[in-house]
Amino acid sequence: MTDNRPVVTMTGISKSFLGVRALHDVNFRLFPGEVHALMGENGAGKSTLIKVLTGVYDTDEGAITLDGQPVSFTGPMQATAAGVSTVFQEVNLCTNLSVAENIFIGREPRRLGAVRWGEVRRRARTLLARLDLDLDVSAPLGSYSLAIQQMVAIARAIDIQARVLILDEPTSSLDAVEVAQLFRIMRQLRDEGIAILFVTHFLDQVYEIADRITVLRNGGLVGEYATAELPQLSLVEKMIGKELDVLEGIEERSRRNLAVLEEGTPLVAVSDFGRAGSVEPFSLTIHAGEVVGLAGLLGSGRTEVARLLFGADRTDGGQVAVDGTPSSLRTPAQAIGHGVGFCSENRRAEGIVADLSVRENMILAMQAARGWLRPIPRRRQDELVDKYIKALNIRPSDPEVPVRNLSGGNQQKVLLARWLITEPRLLILDEPTRGIDIGAKTEIQKLVTQLSDGGMAVLFISAELEEVLRLSHKVAVMRDRQMVAQLANDDGLDADRVMQTIASGSHREEADR
Amino acid sequence: MTTGSLTAGRARFRLPRRQIPVLATLVLLLVMYGIGVSQYQAFSNVQVIFNVFIDNGFLLVVAVGMTFVILTGGIDLSVGSVVAMTAMVSASLLQQGLPAALVLVIALLIGPTLGLLMGCAIHFFEIQPFIVTLAGMFFARGMCTFISGSSIPITDGFWTRMSQERIGDPRGNFVSISVLVAFVVVAVAAYTLAYTRLGRNVYAIGGNPQSALLMGLPLGRTRIAVYTISGLCSAIGGILLSFYTLSGAPLIAVGMELDVIAAVVIGGTVLTGGSGYVFGTVLGVLVLGVIQTLITFDGSLNSWWTKIVIGGLLFAFILLQRLIGIRYK
Amino acid sequence: MNDTMSRYRTMTGHRLFWPAAVLVVMLVANTIYRPGFLSIELKDGHLYGTPIDILRLSAPLILVALGMTLVISTGGIDLSVGSLCAISGAIACMYISKQPDQNSLAVVLTALAMALGVALVLGAWNGVLVAVIGIQPIIATLILMVAGRGLAQLITQGQIITINSEPFRAIGLGHLLTLPLAIFIALAAALLVAAFTRRTALGMIVESVGGNAVASRLAGIRSGRVIFLAYVLSAVCAAVAGFMMTANVSSADGNAVGLWVELDAILAVVIGGTSLAGGRFFLSGTILGALIIQTLTTTVYAMNISPQTSLLFKAVVVIAVCLIQAPAFRARFTRRRGSVPPSSAIADKPKEQVPA
């Protein structure tokens, strides 16, 4: 969109880690006054490219120029000093320090070596005013929401006369309003002539804000395109690089008659479950063999619903009946006792135990249910583990490898196996397909269908509406931490209608308790 | 990748709470002092307070150094041994007839050097501070007995003058030079933490080391610096101790690191780092000093009650920190 | 050629290789320095010799370190074990010293039972602080480390309690099948702990809790119970070690018994390859670590260096072993700088983010 000279060029960049190729001969240009989206599936090399640019890694081959001058930064600090600032997905600030200090730490105005706190606060207020943010700059950052913290991170990044601003998945934890606020700031900065490199997984956002798009796949460059000339579908094709028919088969099978399933006693019926500050009270019934999709934006309370059902968080009130009998779901152990399993969205922090082997990770839940005094006999362990390594096509297939050595998709499958081994009656899957490659994704989707055919109930949570619609019999819609509707997934339901529900928050009868 | 909404909910804690532990320590100190005054007539004498400072000046200095380390989320177990080693080296060098000024310089260099080495081991080789400073503790204590198996008296003129010098008001109340040195150290440390980049980096690293690194703060340099500072404070503490006892003894200050850590924690600094003040540490040291004084005044209580009471106080303060919801990472 | 290289790699890569190598080197150095070092002779039906001494003297440390291994594996640490040794020794000696017949087996057993009972209570106290109240282990056990010394002195009223009880003395100095009884006690404890953790699922569950507490909870593990159990077990191990220490000298000194044993024990665990951050634990490594520490002490004694100065050597060994095991140190010598992803510096940080 601009025909002036690029502020950043990267040519022929290659980078390997211990022989594994992360980037191969990638070219990249960034012009002043543009928002440039860097797109690609997980593992495409986006973060490596950014880290090479900001000097976190050095390149094996290739050259970087800034304003036509060759540069090679030794680290983010030097890059920042040269006008290349980065804001990461996870807010990398110190919540124990004040807002003002977070903006200026490392380059505080000083007199004779002493930090001038008055000046720090004054400049912080000025800067935040430029971004239309009205914050108490002396308050600790931790007292503000994540979205605000992200804005503060941007304020920090642009303060240093940044000419290049790298935003690495800044929107993944923001709600729609916050995203709009962020985009307003991005446009403003773009109009001031700052070059913005924007990494995101949300296609809509790319089309809303980006001027140009660079697509990476498997560490290689696919191409650079003007957003206006690249239809969404071709973008997806370029990112994924293979045809989508693999998924088509699933669709046919999943749209079954909900009425048949909903006869008889529900497997789990909760009413008035909720938790202050987390999710408003909701009621939900799940029958055997039913896949219930949970749709909604990030932060709309999807994960919170799952955690309440699993007893990971405690509900403030309400009742639960399992097989029609009143029971309680107050701890994970109790929920597991009732045949509930839960794959957390946060695989690394809440899922796998990285130190332990694939085998140990798989039998963990079953062993926990039996108690430590009744170990599962080794032969039985091996049988189970072998069975699921084969069934889920887990690679490497050696059960004694520490699970940390597996790829994200395979780790996800190990987690699935952990729960399948317990033969749950209700399996809660929170974003089981996020951040894993398309092959593994398809396998997991197929598995969900098979499991429900076999009579298992599944609560399926995903940010991708298509995926939810493809798999679910019933879709519960979350909006602003409220369950606003439960829609039968019949022919009348499509992504548009779900989105409308999310947008308008219109209630249906089922949702009213 | 993020637990977005989750952390958003959890991150909202009110920070003024962070000052509650310090206030609680202050209240505790006043209460203990009140008990002392009401029970024993002599307790109201100002000199009692001064004596607490005189007896604990070196502890205070060392605790200030430890505050830096703990604020970054580390720990330094070597302080007691370094104090003893500094005193031993001074005594031994003075015995050999070296001039006092030179001895001071040498003694003050040993601690920071050891601290620097430990900091480097912690940073460059990523070994836990607990283990590295444990090795430092062994090393320094070993050096003590290596220098001499028994206590070495100090007869040097400068040392005896420093030991006997009394700075006081006309009514006869006085403090020693050590107390003034300790105050200077406290003031410099408080200024450093509040107003210098180094100080702010210490808080940032204690708050979130990964963020600090990504914000371009010199993680390694700061880490190494705090262990060096702690080493320097231990060295100063060792000199003050040798002023106080006029000797170097190989087994002095054994277990002192525990008192120091206890003082820092009672002073409201959170052991996981990122929150705490030098002023709190001063109060923490005073609490320990006043307990000792109370037990001395009582006469019927034995010295081991000091340990039991300190243990009890530690428990109370840790419980308090939990109750008001300061997050342990 | 390539084959030998890879075999060399697998061997040096084994977690027990470096501790074992250090032990062997120390033994060899000793033998060169003093050729009679490894000789063992049979006298009065008992075996004597430096290796036997090392085994006997390392028994209390092995005991303490076994309990410590489990605690560290849960991601915790137990600083109070030294004080617990002192308390249990003090209680046992105090009770025995008050009885008319100190040689009665019943008296000694009662004394041991009482002391073990108290150790259980104190272990439970640690366990409650860590597992129920959720206090950071290092601080939670610091309380008992400080106060426990006071309690031990309170029990002995600041005196050194000397007793004259053959059955009690046997715990430290007795013999069985030509070998010191202490060796058997330590061995039995090791086998017991090994069976307790590896024959049941306790070991894996402890490792899981230490490796990822949040994930473990979500897998249905009631981690509180396991952590609690680890601290109780550590206290019991410390108590038995305390009996041994006091039995060795037939006296209890609240101030001196078990002084710094917590540090030695932590060292033994770390040398043995268990990470202080928690997760995988290695009992055999811990025992090897304890033997290294005792061999070092014995060596230094044999060289007529004061026991305090032996700390110098201990410092050197600690640093050497830790450096060899530190991935960052190895990386520096095996790989080119710069190709190491810098994330490892903070890689173990998220592990500590257990909800408050």
Side-chain angles (χ1 to χ4, degrees), chain A residues 18 56-58 310 312 332-333 336 342 348-353 355-357 360 363-365 367-368 372 375 418-419, chain C residues 196 199-202 204-205 207-208 211-212 214-222 229 278-280 335 338-339 341-342 351:
Chain A
L18 306 172
V56 177
Y57 302 148
D58 44 355
F310 187 62
I336 293 166
F342 172 55
R348 228 181 46 186
E350 301 183 348
I352 60 161
V353 183
D355 266 0
L356 298 188
S357 67
E360 288 167 315
I363 61 158
L364 197 59
Q367 185 63 66
W372 59 268
R418 175 190 292 173
W419 292 112
Chain C
F196 193 53
R199 288 281 145 185
T200 70
L202 183 67
M204 187 189 84
I205 286 180
E207 287 171 340
S208 167
N212 189 339
V214 180
S216 302
R217 185 175 104 89
L218 290 185
I221 293 173
R222 297 174 181 87
L229 204 61
R280 283 269 185 231
R335 268 181 239 141
S339 60
K351 204 175 264 187

Side-chain angles (χ1 to χ4, degrees), chain A residues 93-109 115-128 134-144 148-149 151-153 155-157 159, chain B residues 200 215 217:
Chain A
L93 297 175
C94 295
T95 48
N96 61 328
L97 305 180
S98 73
V99 170
E101 185 164 16
N102 267 296
I103 297 177
F104 288 104
I105 192 164
R107 48 170 194 277
E108 306 95 333
V115 176
R116 296 165 64 197
W117 286 113
E119 177 75 5
V120 167
R121 283 191 290 271
R122 197 184 58 72
R123 278 171 57 180
R125 270 192 289 268
T126 318
L127 186 64
L128 290 174
D134 180 26
L135 308 178
D136 173 6
V137 294
S138 329
L141 185 70
S143 58
Y144 288 104
I148 297 293
Q149 294 183 20
M151 311 282 175
V152 172
R156 175 182 170 83
D159 170 62
Chain B
R200 300 323 294 173
M215 282 198 277
L217 302 182

Side-chain angles (χ1 to χ4, degrees), chain A residues 406-440:
Chain A
L406 271 60
S407 70
N410 281 304
Q411 289 180 352
Q412 185 65 58
K413 290 185 201 165
V414 169
L415 281 185
L416 271 172
R418 175 190 292 173
W419 292 112
L420 295 180
I421 284 177
T422 65
E423 295 173 359
R425 299 197 298 152
L426 167 61
L427 185 57
I428 304 170
L429 301 173
D430 192 359
E431 298 271 16
T433 60
R434 184 168 66 178
I436 63 181
D437 63 72
I438 188 82

Side-chain angles (χ1 to χ4, degrees), chain C residues 35-319:
Chain C
F37 183 79
L38 286 178
S39 66
I40 296 171
E41 53 180 347
L42 191 67
K43 230 191 281 172
D44 309 329
H46 302 330
L47 285 172
Y48 287 98
T50 323
I52 304 290
D53 279 344
I54 291 176
L55 285 176
R56 181 176 67 83
L57 291 170
S58 59
L61 180 56
I62 290 177
L63 277 169
V64 176
L66 285 173
M68 186 70 81
T69 309
L70 287 187
V71 170
I72 287 181
S73 173
T74 64
I77 201 159
D78 189 352
L79 296 180
S80 69
V81 285
S83 296
L84 283 169
C85 288
I87 292 175
S88 62
I91 292 175
C93 288
M94 201 65 199
Y95 179 80
I96 294 172
S97 74
K98 293 258 169 72
Q99 302 307 312
D101 179 15
Q102 298 193 1
N103 280 326
S104 146
L105 192 62
V107 164
V108 171
L109 288 179
T110 319
L112 297 187
M114 277 174 59
L116 271 178
V118 172
L120 279 174
V121 171
L122 293 177
W125 158 266
N126 278 338
V128 166
L129 288 191
V130 176
V132 180
I133 306 185
I135 298 175
Q136 234 197 344
I138 195 170
I139 325 177
T141 55
L142 182 69
I143 295 169
L144 200 52
M145 180 189 190
V146 176
R149 284 274 159 215
L151 287 176
Q153 281 170 287
L154 180 67
I155 292 164
T156 63
Q157 288 298 304
Q159 307 292 310
I160 295 175
I161 309 291
T162 312
I163 55 167
N164 190 7
S165 164
E166 265 315 307
F168 189 70
R169 193 171 162 276
I171 299 173
L173 298 170
H175 279 78
L176 182 73
L177 302 172
T178 77
L179 283 169
L181 186 62
I183 297 179
F184 290 99
I185 296 178
L187 194 67
L191 291 176
L192 217 62
V193 173
F196 193 53
T197 52
R198 295 303 184 198
R199 288 281 145 185
T200 70
L202 183 67
M204 187 189 84
I205 286 180
V206 162
E207 287 171 340
S208 167
V209 168
N212 189 339
V214 180
S216 302
R217 185 175 104 89
L218 290 185
I221 293 173
R222 297 174 181 87
S223 58
R225 301 176 182 188
V226 179
I227 293 175
F228 178 84
L229 204 61
Y231 284 90
V232 172
L233 198 72
S234 169
V236 170
C237 286
V240 178
F243 300 150
M244 243 179 228
M245 293 169 186
T246 42
N248 266 335
V249 288
S250 285
S251 69
D253 175 354
N255 239 340
V257 172
L259 194 61
W260 291 0
V261 75
E262 59 277 344
L263 301 183
D264 278 348
I266 294 166
L267 271 185
V269 174
V270 172
I271 291 175
T274 304
S275 160
L276 269 185
R280 283 269 185 231
F281 68 88
F282 308 103
L283 293 173
S284 49
T286 296
I287 294 172
L288 214 49
L291 287 176
I292 288 177
I293 293 171
Q294 187 55 48
T295 308
L296 187 73
T297 314
T298 308
T299 308
V300 172
Y301 267 111
M303 290 163 80
N304 273 329
I305 304 173
S306 95
Q308 288 292 325
T309 316
S310 76
L311 289 173
L312 267 184
F313 293 85
K314 213 182 254 178
V316 173
V317 171
V318 172
I319 284 299

Side-chain angles (χ1 to χ4, degrees), chain A residues 49-342:
Chain A
L49 189 70
I50 288 174
K51 284 180 173 158
V52 166
L53 174 58
T54 53
V56 177
Y57 302 148
D58 44 355
T59 52
D60 296 343
E61 280 169 51
I64 305 172
T65 68
L66 182 68
D67 287 331
Q69 302 299 312
V71 286
S72 167
F73 299 125
T74 53
M77 194 62 171
Q78 208 193 3
T80 308
V84 181
S85 296
T86 315
V87 174
F88 294 94
Q89 168 188 17
E90 285 151 62
V91 178
N92 282 291
L93 297 175
C94 295
T95 48
N96 61 328
L97 305 180
S98 73
V99 170
E101 185 164 16
N102 267 296
I103 297 177
F104 288 104
I105 192 164
R107 48 170 194 277
E108 306 95 333
R110 293 183 298 175
R111 185 186 291 129
L112 301 173
V115 176
R116 296 165 64 197
W117 286 113
E119 177 75 5
V120 167
R121 283 191 290 271
R122 197 184 58 72
R123 278 171 57 180
R125 270 192 289 268
T126 318
L127 186 64
L128 290 174
R130 186 175 145 199
L131 302 180
D132 268 349
L133 286 172
D134 180 26
L135 308 178
D136 173 6
V137 294
S138 329
L141 185 70
S143 58
Y144 288 104
S145 72
L146 264 186
I148 297 293
Q149 294 183 20
Q150 193 107 51
M151 311 282 175
V152 172
I154 292 174
R156 175 182 170 83
I158 59 171
D159 170 62
I160 357 160
Q161 316 300 313
R163 284 170 307 152
V164 177
L165 180 61
I166 302 168
L167 301 175
D168 190 356
E169 298 197 39
T171 54
S172 49
S173 47
L174 306 189
D175 66 31
V177 179
E178 292 164 337
V179 169
Q181 198 176 1
L182 176 69
F183 282 2
R184 186 178 50 73
I185 291 171
M186 283 169 68
R187 289 197 187 94
Q188 189 183 337
L189 295 173
R190 178 190 62 192
D191 296 343
E192 289 172 18
I194 294 178
I196 297 176
L197 173 56
F198 180 51
V199 180
T200 183
H201 280 128
F202 299 98
L203 296 182
D204 294 347
Q205 295 180 359
V206 172
Y207 282 88
E208 189 181 340
I209 192 126
D211 302 305
R212 284 185 314 132
I213 301 172
T214 291
V215 181
L216 297 181
R217 191 171 70 227
N218 295 330
L221 176 70
V222 177
E224 183 198 283
Y225 314 91
T227 311
E229 294 160 19
L230 184 71
Q232 287 218 19
L233 195 60
S234 3
L235 172 59
V236 174
E237 278 170 11
K238 289 182 195 310
M239 283 165 61
I240 295 172
K242 53 176 147 173
E243 300 303 317
L244 288 165
D245 352 319
V246 265
L247 297 181
E248 299 304 321
I250 296 171
E251 177 141 18
E252 300 304 314
R253 303 174 52 195
S254 67
R255 298 206 164 178
R256 279 157 303 179
N257 197 345
L258 186 61
V260 176
L261 284 167
E262 299 225 316
E263 282 166 8
T265 327
L267 175 61
V268 175
V270 300
S271 56
D272 292 336
F273 258 41
R275 187 176 162 86
S278 167
V279 64
E280 299 286 316
F282 63 90
S283 300
L284 186 67
T285 54
I286 305 174
H287 292 77
E290 185 179 23
V291 179
V292 178
L294 209 47
L297 299 172
L298 255 166
S300 59
R302 300 179 318 215
T303 299
E304 287 75 3
V305 166
R307 290 180 64 92
L308 286 178
L309 288 176
F310 187 62
D313 294 327
R314 262 187 206 183
T315 172
D316 291 338
Q319 294 84 40
V320 56
V322 178
D323 294 325
T325 325
S327 2
S328 78
L329 297 169
R330 300 185 75 77
T331 64
Q334 217 170 34
I336 293 166
H338 286 306
V340 184
F342 172 55

Side-chain angles (χ1 to χ4, degrees), chain A residues 362 384-394 397 443:
Chain A
M362 279 190 183
L384 285 169
V385 170
D386 274 352
K387 176 176 153 201
Y388 282 101
I389 285 180
K390 285 208 188 76
L392 299 178
N393 191 19
I394 292 172
S397 57
E443 286 176 37

